[in-house]
């Protein structure tokens, strides 16, 4: 991947020099090949890697959504007090920079896709242009889902003189994203230009099409609460186009630790403070234990006793399912009413004296989450099958919700092995599926079970943003908000991130119009499609 990303830097230089008045002369210099000979396929690895970073690490998801949706938990004391943003909805000194992470990364990625598309269109590379559109829609949907109204129709048009783009309503953004995605998918053809330097699908056009239609399914379902007819229409278009057919279609971004392109969530979880502070939540561990979920021993471990071992990600803990204990959200180690030691189920610390680890008996993520070469999960067959189960219950598509659910859970067991650790055996998978069929006693019972599984699956895949977004859409799982003193959520689970502070200086008129339409710029303002609870 290193050579591909280095070539992106070369391409950026070429695009800048293309505006120089000496363009013609520079392009005839044999040592400075211009845009006419540069292959825009070389931008794909950079675009893919940055898309992965939208969903991982300190750009926001670990520091916000991971604990808002109560997959992870933290007492947020000592060196890692930045987890107070997530576990207790309390501001830390770096919160303003965390707020802008997805905004900046998303639009930077969009700008790079725009460069790819300009070159692809000039060269008649229709398939590459379409792949770029799939990635752009996927990335900017993350930005809109995180903030609400965003620049879209006028975004990324600085070359056309638009430096202060208007903010489109989220309604407009979604309508345009879905129609843009449909147009891109209609343009892809197996007989067209080959996709090269593709770290995700190795140039497999059929898999790119299935990714695009699976993305359409996800975005279509976002409309469930605001326009069920539109949601159904887009779901049916996605199914007719052809969504993922097996875990082989999973949209994963590979990481490359050796050349400096690590999985950024793994980077975070290798920091000693984070190794100690980040634990699986009580909600997550209780959910997995309630059904004897075979993933539990793969994802959770209790570290060896003592603070030193708890801060060392290189030591192997006890992964016996019976030993796992989830940390309740919303507690600290500062004494007083919210000290975890006062919780009625507090198991006690481990170690003693200077080596005491007060939260050492709680389950932490296993080493698979500290693998810097682990892939980033963007969208998976497991999620697609579970979304189809949801759609089937709602009457948006035909087929058996129970079968879709079974396929989705089985695929989740398969894909957890893609982190590079242990896998779920076939016998354990079958036993679980037979013991835990979809509850079809009522539509609500089915939707509850399906969407709790989406929450667990996306969280275990470290796609906390998707777990949060699906929770906003459906209201499942039912979560009890944390109401810690001084929290910025007014005792409610945050529904969005405020806009970056810099926007008030660079694009104030459009920003203020968006804030007025949305009814405020705070953590609990619901965006257009958000109506699950």
């Amino acid at each position: 991947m290193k050579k591909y990303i280095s070539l992106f830097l070369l391409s950026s230089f070429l695009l800048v020099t293309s505006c120089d008045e000496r363009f013609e002369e520079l392009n005839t210099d044999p040592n400075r090949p211009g845009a006419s000979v540069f292959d825009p396929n070389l931008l794909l690895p950079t675009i893919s890697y940055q898309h992965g970073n939208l969903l991982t690490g300190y750009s926001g998801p670990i520091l916000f959504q991971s604990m808002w949706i109560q997959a992870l938990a933290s007492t947020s004391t000592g060196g890692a007090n930045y987890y107070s943003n997530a576990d207790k909805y309390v501001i830390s000194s770096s919160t303003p920079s965390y707020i802008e992470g997805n905004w900046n990364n998303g639009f930077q990625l969009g700008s790079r896709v725009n460069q790819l598309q300009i070159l692809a269109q000039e060269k008649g590379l229709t398939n590459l242009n379409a792949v770029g559109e799939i990635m752009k829609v996927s990335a900017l949907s993350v930005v809109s889902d995180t903030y609400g109204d965003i620049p879209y129709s006028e975004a990324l048009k600085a070359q056309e003189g638009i430096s202060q783009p208007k903010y489109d309503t989220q309604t407009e953004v979604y309508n345009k994203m879905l129609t843009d995605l449909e147009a891109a998918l209609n343009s892809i053809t197996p007989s067209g230009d080959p996709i090269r330097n593709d770290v995700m699908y190795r140039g497999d056009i059929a898999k790119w099409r299935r990714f695009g239609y699976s993305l359409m399914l996800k975005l279509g379902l976002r409309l469930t609460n605001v326009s069920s007819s539109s949601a159904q229409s887009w779901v049916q278009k996605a199914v007719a186009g052809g969504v993922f057919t097996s875990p082989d279609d999973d949209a994963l971004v590979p990481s490359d630790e050796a050349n400096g392109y690590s999985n950024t969530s793994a980077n975070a979880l290798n920091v000693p403070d984070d190794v100690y502070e980040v634990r699986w939540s009580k909600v997550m561990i209780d959910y997995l234990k309630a059904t004897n979920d075979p993933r539990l021993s793969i994802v959770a471990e209790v570290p060896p006793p003592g603070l030193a071992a708890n801060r060392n990600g290189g030591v192997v803990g006890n992964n016996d399912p019976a030993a796992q204990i989830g940390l309740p959200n919303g507690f600290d180690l500062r004494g007083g009413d919210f000290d975890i030691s006062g919780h009625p189920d507090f198991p006690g610390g481990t170690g003693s004296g200077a080596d005491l680890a007060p939260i050492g008996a709680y389950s932490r993520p296993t080493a698979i989450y500290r693998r810097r070469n682990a892939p980033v999960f963007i969208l998976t067959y497991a999620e697609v099958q579970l979304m189809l189960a949801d759609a089937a219950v709602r009457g948006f598509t035909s087929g058996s919700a129970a079968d879709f659910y079974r396929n989705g859970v089985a695929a989740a067991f398969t894909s957890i092995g893609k982190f590079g650790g242990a896998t779920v055996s076939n016998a354990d998978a079958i036993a679980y599926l037979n013991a835990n069929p979809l509850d079809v006693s009522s539509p609500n019972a089915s939707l509850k079970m399906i969407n709790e599984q989406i929450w667990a699956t996306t969280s275990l895949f470290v796609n906390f943003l998707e777990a949060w977004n699906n929770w906003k859409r459906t209201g499942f799982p039912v979560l009890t908000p944390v109401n810690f003193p001084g929290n910025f959520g007014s005792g409610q689970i945050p529904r969005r991130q405020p806009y970056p502070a810099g926007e008030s200086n660079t694009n104030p008129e459009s920003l203020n119009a968006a804030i007025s339409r949305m009814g405020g710029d705070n953590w609990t303002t619901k965006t257009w499609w958000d109506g699950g609870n």
Side-chain angles (χ1 to χ4, degrees):
M1 185 182 284
K2 182 178 181 181
K3 70 175 182 178
Y4 298 144
I5 297 179
S6 298
L7 283 167
F8 165 71
L9 299 176
L10 170 63
S11 73
S12 299
F13 169 76
L14 292 172
L15 288 168
V16 170
T17 60
S18 69
C19 298
D20 194 285
E21 62 182 6
R22 298 172 60 244
F23 175 81
E24 223 175 283
E25 178 185 343
L26 289 173
N27 273 295
T28 58
D29 185 338
N31 295 316
R32 282 185 167 177
S36 63
V37 297
F38 179 76
D39 183 358
N41 283 276
L42 292 171
L43 299 177
L44 271 181
T46 303
I47 289 167
S48 300
Y49 180 73
Q50 190 163 8
H51 192 313
N53 286 350
L54 269 178
L55 307 178
T56 55
Y58 289 156
S59 65
I62 278 185
L63 300 172
F64 289 140
Q65 288 83 7
S66 69
M67 299 178 194
W68 290 353
I69 47 88
Q70 297 176 17
L72 298 176
S74 175
T75 50
S76 304
T77 57
N81 64 353
Y82 37 84
Y83 285 108
S84 63
N85 299 276
D87 188 78
K88 293 174 249 310
Y89 333 144
V90 174
I91 296 289
S92 72
S93 59
S94 298
T95 301
S97 67
Y98 303 152
I99 286 173
E100 66 187 24
N102 269 358
W103 184 276
N104 292 342
N105 286 346
F107 282 111
Q108 287 171 7
L109 187 158
S111 179
R112 289 173 179 174
V113 172
N114 206 37
Q115 293 175 344
L116 175 147
Q117 290 183 299
I118 290 171
L119 290 171
Q121 290 164 12
E122 288 176 355
K123 297 174 182 295
L125 303 178
T126 303
N127 283 345
L128 180 62
N129 183 65
V131 165
E133 195 68 26
I134 293 168
M135 293 297 275
K136 183 163 64 178
V137 168
S138 182
L140 293 185
S141 71
V142 170
V143 179
S144 181
D145 291 343
T146 302
Y147 301 93
D149 295 2
I150 63 169
Y152 190 85
S153 62
E154 292 184 356
L156 313 174
K157 293 186 176 181
Q159 75 277 10
E160 299 176 25
I162 301 176
S163 58
Q164 294 182 312
K166 70 173 183 177
Y167 282 53
D168 296 303
T169 67
Q170 193 175 51
T171 312
E172 294 168 332
V173 172
Y174 258 75
N175 288 338
K176 190 68 166 64
M177 285 192 304
L178 283 161
T179 55
D180 287 350
L181 182 59
E182 182 179 29
L185 290 166
N186 286 338
S187 72
I188 292 179
T189 172
S191 61
D193 54 290
I195 304 300
R196 296 187 291 271
N197 302 295
D198 176 8
V199 298
M200 285 180 58
Y201 286 129
R202 303 298 178 190
D204 191 324
I205 295 294
K207 288 189 176 183
W208 275 109
R209 280 179 58 86
R210 291 195 286 270
F211 174 37
Y213 280 113
S214 297
L215 175 61
M216 182 183 290
L217 171 67
K218 183 178 77 171
L219 299 184
L221 276 178
R222 291 275 201 267
L223 311 183
T224 297
N225 299 305
V226 290
S227 177
S228 60
S229 60
S230 293
Q232 181 173 10
S233 176
W234 286 110
V235 166
Q236 290 178 346
K237 285 183 181 182
V239 172
V243 295
F244 290 159
T245 59
S246 79
D248 289 341
D249 290 333
D250 288 352
L252 308 181
V253 177
S255 300
D256 184 7
E257 178 190 7
N259 290 306
Y261 302 102
S262 299
N263 180 307
T264 57
S265 284
N267 285 346
L269 295 177
N270 272 285
V271 175
D273 284 336
D274 299 45
V275 172
Y276 178 54
E277 282 289 351
V278 176
R279 303 282 155 155
W280 289 114
S281 74
K282 174 177 171 57
V283 177
M284 177 61 77
I285 294 298
D286 287 356
Y287 174 83
L288 297 176
K289 292 182 79 169
T291 56
N292 295 315
D293 193 304
R295 290 173 292 188
L296 181 55
S297 63
I298 296 173
V299 304
E301 66 180 11
V302 176
L307 184 60
N310 269 261
R311 289 171 54 85
N312 185 348
V315 299
V316 177
N318 177 6
N319 69 343
D320 181 352
Q324 306 311 313
I325 305 173
L327 175 66
N329 291 94
F331 290 86
D332 62 16
L333 285 168
R334 300 182 185 275
D337 294 340
F338 291 88
D339 194 292
I340 189 62
S341 65
H343 191 281
D345 297 326
F346 180 60
T350 65
S352 61
D355 194 42
L356 175 66
I359 60 171
Y362 290 109
S363 301
R364 71 180 183 189
T366 57
I368 65 172
Y369 296 107
R370 295 187 290 275
R371 283 192 67 248
R372 298 180 194 267
N373 277 324
V376 175
F377 290 64
I378 295 179
L379 186 60
T380 65
Y381 171 72
E383 296 166 63
V384 166
Q385 288 293 298
L386 292 168
M387 287 189 287
L388 288 173
D390 179 297
V393 171
R394 299 177 192 275
F396 292 171
T397 189
S398 59
S400 165
D403 289 345
F404 287 135
Y405 180 81
R406 185 180 179 92
N407 292 341
V409 176
F413 292 168
T414 296
S415 290
I416 198 72
K418 295 183 180 184
F419 277 105
T423 59
V424 176
S425 72
N426 188 55
D428 285 346
I430 292 174
Y432 179 91
L433 295 168
N434 289 341
N436 299 279
L438 181 66
D439 184 345
V440 294
S441 61
S442 70
N444 190 67
S446 294
L447 290 173
K448 177 179 182 293
M449 196 167 180
I450 291 163
N451 288 290
E452 286 177 347
Q453 186 62 236
I454 290 177
W455 164 80
T457 294
T458 51
S459 294
L460 297 180
F461 287 162
V462 200
N463 192 345
F464 302 117
L465 273 170
E466 186 54 33
W468 177 61
N469 283 323
N470 198 66
W471 169 79
K472 289 190 296 181
R473 178 180 72 89
T474 67
F476 296 120
V478 176
L479 300 172
T480 301
V482 166
N483 196 3
F484 195 84
N487 73 85
F488 52 65
S490 301
Q492 302 175 55
I493 297 173
R495 317 293 296 209
R496 64 181 290 273
Q497 292 174 205
Y499 291 115
E503 282 292 285
S504 62
N505 296 321
T506 60
N507 197 4
E509 185 175 341
S510 296
L511 171 66
N512 290 333
I515 291 173
S516 178
R517 285 194 306 267
M518 292 175 61
D521 184 27
N522 57 59
W523 301 87
T524 56
T525 300
K526 285 190 176 184
T527 59
W528 168 64
W529 61 255
D530 175 2
N533 51 354

